[in-house]
Amino acid sequence: MSKLRVAVIGAKGRIGSEAVRSVEAADDLDLVATLGRGDPLEALADAGAQVAVELTHPDSVLGNLEFCVGHGIHTVVGTTGWTPERLDTVRGWLDASPGTGALIAPNFSIGAVLTMRFAQQAAPWFESVEVIELHHDNKADAPSGTATRTAQLIAAARSEAGRPPQHDPTTHGLDGARGADVDGVPVHSVRLRGLLAHQEVLLGGTGETLTIRHDSLHHSSFMPGILLAVRTVPTVPGLTFGLEHFLTDGPGAADGSAATGHQGA
Ligand SMILES: NC(=O)C1=CN([C@@H]2O[C@H](COP(=O)(O)OP(=O)(O)OC[C@H]3O[C@@H](n4cnc5c(N)ncnc54)[C@H](O)[C@@H]3O)[C@@H](O)[C@H]2O)C=CC1
Ligand SMILES: O=C(O)C1=N[C@H](C(=O)O)C[C@H](O)C1
């Protein structure tokens, strides 16, 4: 069977360089192009890339994605900084390129995907919920894509369960002291040298609290998810938001076996 032809954009970055090594090590994938800042995107088409992995910067991702979708290259995107408006723009490009797939994943690590699911499950049962995300000191966006998505899922779960908005008792305080408000959920961002990517979801009820914590200790934590996404995205046209939509085949899928998914966006 012929190998899937894969390119990595942002190949010299922290996660991009790890993705390059993982694609190279995969027997069923052929690394045909690695692009850094300033490299022409035409190299993707020239190399015959079937899937591009996009791991750059919120300022670069839209241009890269527009090129890939326009050239029928399926794309796996880990870059963060997504808004509903940006997602709508990508949907427009995909509509004009039928058969092309794009997965945008706020987080490729299985633990982070499960954290989001557990938080969604727990959220309706507690009066209070806040998210704290902690990252390395070079991160461009705040809150993190994962924390934003987590808060959105929490807010949706609470609203579906008929829970009223959380009460914030603060009447005196400094601006920012209560974090960013994401759909009514306070999200606090810590940036600290030595960290990689960490998140806590704090839930509080009568006489009890529940803390759901996830730690990515190394960029290898994102690799099984990226490889799964690379293998799956050619089979799922249109926009999928969130790796969970590609995890429908259970734990084995994230170990490298092929999985089929459904559209999540
Ligand atoms: N979804 C996920 O699971 C994860 C997502 N990320 C996200 O991935 C992105 C990259 O993160 P890091 O690797 O830590 O950043 P980084 O700064 O180490 O690497 C980004 C690389 O992309 C390059 N770059 C920027 N614009 C480019 C362009 N137009 N074309 C080609 N290369 C370009 C930069 O020169 C740099 O080498 C961030 O948005 C981060 O939040 C990071 C880790 C996991
Ligand atoms: O910048 C990072 O490092 C990460 N970015 C993603 C995010 O914003 O959620 C995923 C992970 O947290 C690592």
Side-chain angles (χ1 to χ4, degrees):
M1 209 167 67
S2 63
K3 294 184 179 186
L4 194 57
R5 298 170 68 78
V6 181
V8 177
I9 315 175
K12 291 187 179 146
R14 278 177 290 266
I15 184 168
S17 52
E18 189 77 24
V20 164
R21 283 191 286 278
S22 293
V23 172
E24 275 177 329
D27 290 342
D28 59 330
L29 306 179
D30 193 5
L31 182 69
V32 295
T34 55
L35 272 64
R37 192 187 281 278
D39 290 339
L41 291 168
E42 285 69 25
L44 300 171
D46 294 347
Q50 295 167 290
V51 178
V53 183
E54 212 287 349
L55 302 163
T56 62
H57 188 279
D59 291 342
S60 304
V61 63
L62 275 184
N64 292 338
L65 199 41
E66 182 177 21
F67 179 93
C68 291
V69 173
H71 286 76
I73 300 170
H74 309 291
T75 314
V76 170
V77 181
T79 304
T80 42
W82 292 98
T83 60
E85 295 73 28
R86 284 179 152 226
L87 292 173
D88 279 345
T89 301
V90 175
R91 278 190 197 93
W93 296 331
L94 286 161
D95 286 348
S97 183
T100 306
L103 168 75
I104 299 175
N107 203 306
F108 288 108
S109 93
I110 303 305
V113 172
L114 289 175
T115 298
M116 289 185 252
R117 184 185 293 179
F118 298 154
Q120 204 177 358
Q121 199 179 348
W125 298 92
F126 292 85
E127 274 81 38
S128 322
V129 54
E130 308 221 356
V131 178
I132 306 175
E133 55 96 341
L134 309 91
H135 279 81
H136 58 88
D137 58 339
N138 280 305
K139 185 162 177 60
D141 55 314
S144 71
T146 309
T148 302
R149 184 65 179 152
T150 305
Q152 289 167 342
L153 292 170
I154 287 169
R158 289 170 69 90
S159 155
E160 258 170 52
R163 260 211 181 269
Q166 294 194 75
H167 169 62
D168 185 343
T170 313
T171 52
H172 297 70
L174 284 179
D175 280 354
R178 296 287 295 120
D181 179 330
V182 178
D183 294 354
V185 178
V187 180
H188 311 269
S189 297
V190 176
R191 296 292 174 262
L192 204 69
R193 185 165 292 255
L195 295 181
L196 201 169
H198 316 261
Q199 177 166 291
E200 283 188 359
V201 181
L202 310 177
L203 301 120
T206 307
E208 63 174 333
T209 65
L210 170 66
T211 303
I212 305 169
R213 180 172 174 115
H214 175 255
D215 298 275
S216 265
L217 305 172
H218 189 265
H219 281 96
S220 53
S221 61
F222 306 111
M223 295 306 127
I226 287 184
L227 294 181
L228 170 74
V230 164
R231 294 176 177 120
T232 307
V233 73
T235 68
V236 187
L239 179 64
T240 304
F241 191 78
L243 183 69
E244 61 276 19
H245 301 289
F246 282 8
L247 290 171
T248 50
D249 286 356
D255 291 339
S257 62
T260 54
H262 61 271
Q263 272 190 274

